[in-house]
Amino acid sequence: MYTFSSKLKNVAIILMVLGLLGIGYGFFSAPKNTEDVEKILAADAHGEHHAAPAAHGEAKHEAAPAHAEEKHAVEAVKDSATVVAHGLDSVATHLEEAHLAEAAKPVAHDTHTKDAHAEAAHGDAHADEHKEHVEHVLHQLQNKPWAALYVGALFVFLIALGVLAFYAIQWASQAGWSPVLFRVMEAITAYLVPGGIILFVLLVLSCLHFNHLFVWMDPEVVAKDHLIQGKSGYLNVPFFLIRAVVFLGGWILYRTYTRKNSIALDETNDLSYYKKNFKASAGFLAFFLVSESMMSWDWIMSVDPHWFSTLFGWYVFASFVVSAITVIALVALYLKSKGYLEFVNNSHIHDLAKYMFGFSVFWTYLWFSQFMLIWYANIPEEVTYFKFRIEHYNLPFFGMVVMNFVFPILILINTDFKRVPWIIWMAGIIILSGHYLDFHNMIFPATVGDQWFIGAAELGSVAFFAGLFIYVVFSALTKAPLLAKGNPLIEESKHFHY
Amino acid sequence: MSNKVIHALYNDDDVLMDAVKQTRLAHHHIEEVYTPFPVHGLDKAMGLAPTRIAICSFLFGLTGLAFATWLMNNIMIQDWPQDIGGKPSFSYIQNMPAFVPIMFEETVFFAAHLMVITFYMRSKLWPFKEAENPDVRTTDDHFLMEVAVNNNESELTSFLQSTGAVEVKVVEKH
């Protein structure tokens, strides 16, 4: 039996406390009204009067080096991008023209005022434009702490969900190597219950208009937006919440059922439990395939209700399943280093590392397939999604490709390296950070726009959920022996050698 | 000095593995082992050095990637940068997504084919190559271990018989 070391428990609690402070700071420092935004904008504008127009062009290009289209060059002159850091959770405030992606958004904000314009023309029309712009920035900044919280909750929850899917695959395929890791996987999936509840509460709060993460939930927006009206048969609040309940319920039900059978299998050695789990896993995988796909439309793609992509569900799946396998490997390595998993040898770690490698490449394949098809055809209604990301999220957007593809493929391609714990740790941390960035890039552009920053609120959110994850997972590990000895494949798994 | 070797034949891979381990322990030099199918762990038991063909393949893949990059850059960007359907051909990076499928396939093509050719060359395999198996049964259901003789013929013969060989014969090698 595993005992939760007080040291690790303290780490988890400290992470949660620091995380809560970060989240709280995020909400506290978000502007309350348009006057606050005016102050932020004024601070920016002040700096701008001293800067030559050419400098703006340069600043802009630093933010988006790869973006060198002529059109942009024209915009860049008009742009008045100034980056001002406001302490820890600083809002990298950009004062700039609305871009195509924003223009496509239902809230009318495509007529932002520029300071350059301000000097050229003063008038009533200009005052209205300015007001609209300030309101737009206010909404983005008010969304920021919510988006930070949502991304953290979603990412950590989906890791547990990915482990559940991987666990089901191991049962359904009767894998001979993995049963020694079943208890680790079961413990990780224990996070599904608290994580799912938190996520559901966040979704309900969105539905109750505590935030504007999902723009289609706003009746005022829908009234003016024909595209969203056309989708309201699917994107409406009651149906959205019912779907969320069905998905979460199905996943948690399968998790509870297989865990119960797995423990019973240990105690009774009755193989009927094994068969039950086999059948349940096969059924769950069919349910998972459908529910995961719809979950990704609901919880992620619908923040951009004007945009759609057919392979999005697979893309999201690839992103969280590779993180999930990484987490299994890291938890197994940690437990082994503490002497708890004497039956796990480096061949098991090698297998997990191969999965990390393989799914990293799979993720890249889907990322590139989605990006390249849209880039190639360049249809305006689709391409705004990537145009906005490349312009305003250049470093995170391409940085995550390096972290999730280039780094794993160069490190984990070597057979010997896949058996070295510190290399797995290093690769695992890079992969997890890279996939956090991936989720950040999915949610933030549509909710926060160019006001994004990875500061106290974002890191706090990750720290809080990571702490909660560690607390729940390692508590669950203490509740059952670490070896699922009733499993008929356990002997094979103990002697697994590659 | 005569080029004598002993051929010990086995009809079970487990017996063969044991025999290989005993022979190595007794410090007799195993020249070669012929088997009808891959015997898992035989290379380790014989103490053969691990293969480096994966490293070769990686380098070949890099060559393929470099070749494809050079090729597409030379053709599409440097030599004749036309506007084809509005695709930006001002620099390689601008139009790179369109070249990735080619870069990928060239990488795989070079890695796979050059590795196979390397394997053929290192294993000395080619069409019309004269077969080298010393006993036709080794392609069907027998395993053969070839051990060098160094003026210890009778001792070695009895040793190999004790390892479970179904047949032991002394052969003059050409």
Side-chain angles (χ1 to χ4, degrees):
Chain A
M1 291 291 272
Y2 171 72
T3 45
F4 196 168
S5 75
S6 60
K7 215 166 152 192
L8 190 64
K9 197 177 272 181
N10 287 339
V11 168
I13 290 167
I14 289 168
L15 277 174
M16 280 193 274
V17 171
L18 286 178
L20 277 177
L21 287 175
I23 294 168
Y25 176 76
F27 279 101
F28 178 74
S29 62
K32 307 287 175 295
N33 49 42
T34 47
E35 282 158 30
D36 293 350
V37 178
E38 292 277 18
K39 272 180 214 153
I40 295 169
L41 296 185
D44 269 0
H46 182 69
E48 183 176 321
H49 286 297
H50 298 286
H56 300 303
E58 278 168 23
K60 185 61 197 136
H61 278 295
E62 271 169 27
H67 188 72
E69 289 166 42
E70 280 179 81
K71 190 177 173 200
H72 178 68
V74 175
E75 281 178 2
V77 178
K78 290 195 286 173
D79 272 345
S80 48
T82 315
V83 185
V84 177
H86 291 279
L88 253 186
D89 186 20
S90 106
V91 266
T93 36
H94 295 232
L95 248 179
E96 58 191 316
E97 199 161 61
H99 290 269
L100 276 173
E102 286 180 82
K105 281 195 198 166
V107 187
H109 50 61
D110 50 350
T111 50
H112 291 177
T113 249
K114 305 270 107 270
D115 283 307
H117 292 190
E119 281 161 15
H122 297 276
D124 293 341
H126 162 65
D128 285 348
E129 281 174 10
H130 180 71
K131 209 172 149 231
E132 275 177 16
H133 173 63
V134 168
E135 269 177 25
H136 174 60
V137 174
L138 173 68
H139 286 148
Q140 290 184 328
L141 289 176
Q142 283 182 333
N143 259 345
K144 197 171 156 290
W146 285 100
L149 190 61
Y150 184 61
V151 171
L154 192 67
F155 180 59
V156 181
F157 174 79
L158 288 181
I159 285 176
L161 183 63
V163 173
L164 189 72
F166 190 72
Y167 177 71
I169 292 169
Q170 301 307 307
W171 273 101
S173 62
Q174 303 182 11
W177 68 277
S178 53
V180 293
L181 292 165
F182 273 8
R183 284 291 142 76
V184 174
M185 297 187 211
E186 283 168 11
I188 295 173
T189 55
Y191 181 78
L192 280 174
V193 179
I197 291 170
I198 292 172
L199 197 57
F200 187 71
V201 168
L202 282 177
L203 294 177
V204 170
L205 290 178
S206 293
C207 292
L208 296 175
H209 306 298
F210 279 86
N211 58 55
H212 297 91
L213 291 182
F214 299 91
V215 75
W216 57 265
M217 286 174 180
D218 189 344
E220 276 178 44
V221 170
V222 178
K224 283 186 245 160
D225 192 315
H226 296 289
L227 285 172
I228 298 181
Q229 282 166 21
K231 295 180 183 183
S232 59
Y234 185 81
L235 288 182
N236 59 72
V237 165
F239 191 27
F240 177 81
L241 288 181
I242 290 169
R243 284 197 303 269
V245 169
V246 171
F247 302 155
L248 289 169
W251 301 333
I252 290 170
L253 180 74
Y254 166 76
R255 192 268 161 188
T256 317
Y257 180 74
T258 40
R259 165 78 168 184
K260 209 182 75 204
N261 284 342
S262 177
I263 302 280
L265 189 61
D266 252 20
E267 284 160 3
T268 59
N269 270 328
D270 179 359
L271 280 186
S272 66
Y273 291 113
Y274 177 78
K275 289 176 185 161
K276 275 184 191 164
N277 264 6
F278 173 74
K279 285 179 188 161
S281 300
F284 168 75
L285 284 171
F287 171 76
F288 175 76
L289 211 65
V290 178
S291 57
E292 188 276 328
S293 208
M294 294 175 77
M295 174 276 286
S296 71
W297 308 336
D298 282 5
W299 298 353
I300 302 173
M301 200 158 78
S302 85
V303 296
D304 278 297
H306 284 185
W307 182 79
F308 47 85
S309 166
T310 41
L311 61 68
F312 196 72
W314 278 111
Y315 171 67
V316 172
F317 170 74
S319 188
F320 70 75
V321 85
V322 64
S323 313
I325 290 163
T326 304
V327 168
I328 298 174
L330 297 188
V331 173
L333 277 179
Y334 171 78
L335 289 173
K336 189 160 172 59
S337 74
K338 297 285 167 200
Y340 283 106
L341 296 175
E342 77 275 14
F343 32 81
V344 170
N345 57 42
N346 62 7
S347 290
H348 295 104
I349 300 301
H350 187 164
D351 260 29
L352 286 169
K354 275 190 283 188
Y355 272 110
M356 284 161 67
F357 174 79
F359 275 111
S360 286
V361 176
F362 179 63
W363 173 87
T364 314
Y365 170 65
L366 293 177
W367 174 82
F368 183 71
S369 300
Q370 179 167 278
F371 172 72
M372 196 262 246
L373 284 184
I374 290 174
W375 171 86
Y376 209 108
N378 201 21
I379 301 172
E381 68 207 55
E382 289 179 348
V383 86
T384 50
Y385 186 82
F386 287 114
K387 188 171 163 50
F388 191 76
R389 278 159 179 77
I390 289 172
E391 272 180 33
H392 298 280
Y393 289 71
N394 199 283
L395 186 62
F397 186 71
F398 291 110
M400 78 173 178
V401 181
V402 175
M403 291 167 84
N404 295 341
F405 173 64
V406 180
F407 189 83
I409 203 172
L410 291 179
I411 296 299
L412 293 178
I413 200 166
N414 189 312
T415 298
D416 298 328
F417 285 4
K418 284 192 279 246
R419 294 166 179 271
V420 183
W422 71 266
I423 289 182
I424 306 291
W425 274 103
M426 189 176 65
I429 288 164
I430 299 274
I431 288 174
L432 288 176
S433 318
H435 286 281
Y436 169 77
L437 265 186
D438 189 11
F439 279 91
H440 181 269
N441 290 345
M442 289 190 229
I443 300 293
F444 267 62
T447 52
V448 183
D450 53 12
Q451 306 294 328
W452 71 276
F453 191 74
I454 297 183
E458 287 76 9
L459 296 177
S461 168
V462 174
F464 173 74
F465 288 105
L468 183 66
F469 182 83
I470 292 171
Y471 190 82
V472 171
V473 168
F474 286 87
S475 303
L477 275 169
T478 60
K479 298 206 175 103
L482 286 173
L483 183 66
K485 64 180 189 331
N487 193 301
L489 292 164
I490 200 75
E491 277 307 311
E492 179 183 344
S493 179
K494 270 157 82 177
H495 300 115
F496 172 69
H497 173 73
Y498 173 75
Chain B
M1 188 183 148
S2 68
N3 279 328
K4 274 186 181 169
V5 291
I6 293 193
H7 283 173
L9 281 124
Y10 302 85
N11 58 7
D12 188 292
D13 50 342
D14 282 341
V15 180
L16 173 76
M17 284 290 282
D18 281 343
V20 166
K21 281 171 195 157
Q22 287 177 39
T23 312
R24 292 248 299 157
L25 266 181
H27 296 295
H28 297 301
H29 178 66
I30 302 174
E31 300 253 309
E32 191 61 277
V33 176
Y34 297 87
T35 63
F37 52 77
V39 177
H40 187 73
L42 183 61
D43 53 338
K44 281 220 177 71
M46 287 172 69
L48 298 181
T51 173
R52 290 166 297 179
I53 201 155
I55 299 167
C56 278
S57 184
F58 185 78
L59 296 176
F60 294 148
L62 289 183
T63 313
L65 184 63
F67 175 71
T69 310
W70 169 80
L71 186 75
M72 299 318 293
N73 183 52
N74 199 35
I75 296 171
M76 302 300 291
I77 310 296
Q78 303 301 333
D79 187 34
W80 197 353
Q82 289 187 98
D83 182 342
I84 303 169
K87 285 277 159 282
S89 51
F90 304 107
S91 72
Y92 191 75
I93 196 75
Q94 275 188 329
N95 210 1
M96 201 197 69
F99 303 142
V100 166
I102 298 158
M103 289 155 74
F104 171 76
E105 293 294 346
E106 287 282 3
T107 307
V108 175
F109 181 88
F110 274 61
H113 289 82
L114 293 181
M115 177 176 73
V116 168
I117 293 168
T118 307
F119 168 74
Y120 285 156
M121 286 164 64
R122 291 290 289 146
S123 318
K124 300 190 174 67
L125 285 175
W126 51 83
F128 312 112
K129 148 112 179 173
E130 205 181 327
E132 285 175 354
N133 56 320
D135 191 312
V136 288
R137 288 173 295 173
T138 58
T139 63
D140 186 9
D141 62 349
H142 277 66
F143 305 81
L144 189 152
M145 179 164 64
E146 190 177 280
V147 186
V149 175
N150 300 310
N151 303 320
N152 54 354
E153 191 180 314
S154 58
E155 181 217 337
L156 196 52
T157 310
S158 59
F159 168 75
L160 287 172
Q161 248 145 8
S162 74
T163 59
V166 290
E167 193 180 316
V168 177
K169 52 186 179 181
V170 183
V171 180
E172 191 80 33
K173 230 187 172 183
H174 311 296

